[in-house]
Amino acid sequence: MLKLIPLPAFEDNYIWVLHDAHRAVAVDPGDPAPLAAFLDAHGLALAALLITHHHRDHTGGNSWLRQRYGCAVYASHNAAIPAVTHRLHGGNSVNILELDLHLEVLATPGHTLDHISYVGHGCLFCGDTVFGCGCGKLFEGSPAMMAASLDAILALPDTTRVCCAHEYTLSNIDFAKTLDGDNPALLERERTDRDLRAHGQPTLPSTLALEKATNPFLRFHSPDMTAFAARYLNRRNPDPAEVFGAIRGAKDAWDG
Ligand code: ZN
Ligand code: FE
């Protein structure tokens, strides 16, 4: 059984590591230092990096780690991502034979156009697509594009462990309460996650079941969020992509 570990990096990033007694894979090591320290402390070889998108806080470690460990580097076709050895599209799979690890690649554009996510071992490595109780900003994609990406994620099993690249959960819960303050699952999550953060623990991974129950950005098909969007857009019967866009717009305004 592989172990799943979130390594804190920068202010609020997580580098996700899956490892056995000998080898590891890591997702989005924007800063190579915490990953190298972890690998060295546990005597682990680095088999591969899995990169979700081109932002520097996800790719900054690629060149140094590839040089030091000779690891494979998986990423999308965006040439801006450095040191890539294997280029991926949605629908491809990644097989890390040394770890007996098999992952499927989901195209999840929206935050960026090149964003991909990795699914396997009961985990979703979703980079900046889904956050705890939130989702990534639309820097490059449209609301319809992100809604389609989130639909692909919603089709995964409820037990999937959601491994996000940032610890934004508490502030996302603050926003979610402005839309959905009567949702008992959200209020329960707030108690649990505030307690975790008070003890210096990550709120992640969450589960897809928990995100479906509490994350407004995954609830854009729900009557509650559709009613919110109709008020926000001052228009009847918004379609699901418009509902998603309204929630994203409200969050961007709330962020200021
Ligand atoms: Zn990003
Ligand atoms: Fe990021």
Side-chain angles (χ1 to χ4, degrees):
M1 191 66 180
L2 301 177
K3 276 196 177 174
L4 175 68
I5 308 280
L7 296 179
F10 304 120
E11 291 288 293
D12 51 35
N13 286 63
Y14 290 125
I15 302 164
W16 289 94
V17 178
L18 272 175
H19 72 93
D20 64 12
H22 307 288
R23 293 175 190 81
V25 300
V27 183
D28 286 352
D31 181 356
L35 178 58
F38 178 83
L39 296 170
D40 294 352
H42 294 81
L44 298 169
L46 182 60
L49 303 181
L50 306 170
I51 306 302
T52 62
H53 68 293
H54 69 87
H55 287 158
R56 278 288 295 178
D57 64 309
H58 302 251
T59 61
N62 289 11
S63 298
W64 190 88
L65 290 162
R66 166 139 183 75
Q67 190 153 34
R68 165 127 182 224
Y69 296 97
C71 55
V73 180
Y74 292 88
S76 75
H77 280 257
N78 186 344
I81 302 173
V84 177
T85 61
H86 297 70
R87 296 277 179 186
L88 300 168
H89 289 292
N92 288 160
S93 52
V94 173
N95 293 293
I96 315 286
L97 297 177
E98 312 96 292
L99 280 162
D100 199 21
L101 177 62
H102 176 82
L103 299 150
E104 300 294 337
V105 179
L106 279 187
T108 50
H111 174 70
T112 61
L113 295 177
D114 70 342
H115 201 297
I116 56 176
S117 298
Y118 300 86
V119 181
H121 201 69
C123 300
L124 167 68
F125 299 104
C126 52
D128 289 357
T129 297
V130 175
F131 296 128
C133 220
C135 80
K137 281 193 163 67
L138 302 184
F139 286 120
E140 299 175 9
S142 65
M145 190 182 275
M146 187 67 144
S149 296
L150 297 175
D151 275 332
I153 287 171
L154 284 167
L156 299 172
D158 275 355
T159 52
T160 304
R161 291 179 286 180
V162 180
C163 303
C164 319
H166 293 270
E167 179 63 67
Y168 293 155
T169 309
L170 293 187
S171 75
N172 286 336
I173 288 173
D174 287 341
F175 168 74
K177 283 167 64 184
T178 69
L179 302 188
D180 204 19
D182 297 328
N183 178 343
L186 178 61
L187 299 175
E188 171 71 30
R189 183 178 195 175
E190 181 181 28
R191 282 191 291 276
T192 305
D193 286 352
R194 285 205 188 286
D195 194 56
L196 285 167
R197 296 307 292 149
H199 292 87
Q201 298 296 312
T203 62
L204 301 162
S206 62
T207 63
L208 191 54
L210 181 63
E211 297 303 337
K212 283 183 180 178
T214 62
N215 187 333
F217 297 95
L218 290 179
R219 300 182 66 237
F220 60 97
H221 295 287
S222 75
D224 289 354
M225 290 301 119
T226 304
F228 159 76
R231 289 194 304 276
Y232 185 83
L233 300 168
N234 195 22
R235 185 150 41 80
R236 285 161 165 250
N237 303 321
D239 70 28
E242 291 171 328
V243 174
F244 173 78
I247 301 166
R248 189 59 256 175
K251 175 65 159 60
D252 291 344
W254 186 84
D255 286 337

